Amino acid sequence: MKKLVAGNWKMNGLSAALSEIETVSASAGDHKDHADLLICPPATLIPGAVARSGSSGLMIGGQDCHQAVSGAHTGDVSGEMLKDAGCSHVIVGHSERRADHGETSALVREKAAAAHAAGLVAIICIGESEAERRAGRETEVCGGQLADSLPESATAENSVVAYEPVWAIGTGLVPSEDDIVAMHAFLRAQLCARYGDAGKNVRILYGGSVKPGNAASIMALSDVDGVLVGGASLKASDFLAIAAASY
Ligand code: PGA
């Protein structure tokens, strides 16, 4: 399966940061045959990012969407709006939204369904906390989040699962290779139980402290179909180094 290298800029980047998108776009063609590249900038930068990505093959996505199409939801952005702005993907259920905004898997499921209805690929994030891993509950927690966050509309084409252990995000800590392989194999089995053979085609990304230095070894692991990169996606040179490490 072609890897997906996705960048999540989170709440970082003013208009000057669009030059990073330009730099990535300029090299995107070099990687196009081997990996799909996606950057999810903050909402304010999406139109500028879409304009700069042009026909380079670099895709642009949102970091969240509301579960409704439109209406009285001050401050929110809908899937349809992201699609209209030129996005191909949207991240839903990131652990920072689950923690900071109290998002439950039931809500994430509605958001993913809204993304599908808008014609977007939903990147559905799951992951255990440090305490849950210490208690040996990681498969129970991630299995529950996966089952509850995937809507009826999910297919291998319109959905990507991102396994991001909360304790590995922004900390420089990464699970052991054995732990990543075990979790991805578990998630693959869950997807195949639900979707049959099509479950083999759902991309499962790893996220959490992915850097140019560890990207190749992480993406060489079985059932790791790409990465979701936070901090290291902010610099074009780091993001492109991770893209190059994907094949
Ligand atoms: P990080 O973030 O790469 O900075 O750890 C990953 C994420 O939250 O998607």
Side-chain angles (χ1 to χ4, degrees), residues 67-148:
Q67 64 275 24
V69 174
S70 62
H73 305 289
T74 302
D76 278 312
V77 170
S78 73
E80 192 179 62
M81 289 168 176
L82 294 174
K83 180 74 180 178
D84 180 56
C87 289
S88 55
H89 291 64
V90 62
I91 298 167
V92 291
H94 189 282
S95 65
E96 286 153 15
R97 295 211 56 93
R98 290 179 188 260
D100 298 353
H101 299 270
E103 293 193 5
T104 61
S105 290
L107 178 61
V108 173
R109 180 189 166 98
E110 284 185 55
K111 290 185 172 207
H116 294 156
L120 296 167
V121 176
I123 301 179
I124 299 163
C125 301
I126 60 171
E128 83 283 0
S129 68
E130 190 179 5
E132 288 161 344
R133 170 144 308 250
R134 261 196 267 110
R137 295 184 52 228
E138 65 274 8
T139 46
E140 172 200 332
V141 169
C142 293
Q145 288 180 352
L146 182 73
D148 296 345

Side-chain angles (χ1 to χ4, degrees), residues 8-69:
N8 171 13
W9 281 14
K10 309 190 180 183
M11 199 173 73
N12 295 294
L14 303 177
S15 47
L18 290 171
S19 65
E20 302 296 321
I21 302 275
E22 253 167 53
T23 306
V24 173
S25 297
S27 295
D30 301 347
H31 304 288
K32 197 147 77 179
D33 294 340
H34 310 285
D36 290 329
L37 305 189
L38 168 73
I39 291 182
C40 302
T44 47
L45 296 184
I46 287 173
V50 167
R52 280 159 184 80
S53 66
S55 57
S56 68
L58 171 67
M59 300 180 288
I60 303 298
Q63 298 175 10
D64 175 51
C65 69
H66 195 275
Q67 64 275 24
V69 174

Side-chain angles (χ1 to χ4, degrees), residues 4 54 97 106 124 161 164 175 197 200 226:
L4 172 62
R97 295 211 56 93
I124 299 163
V161 173
E164 299 203 300
D197 266 1
K200 292 183 191 157

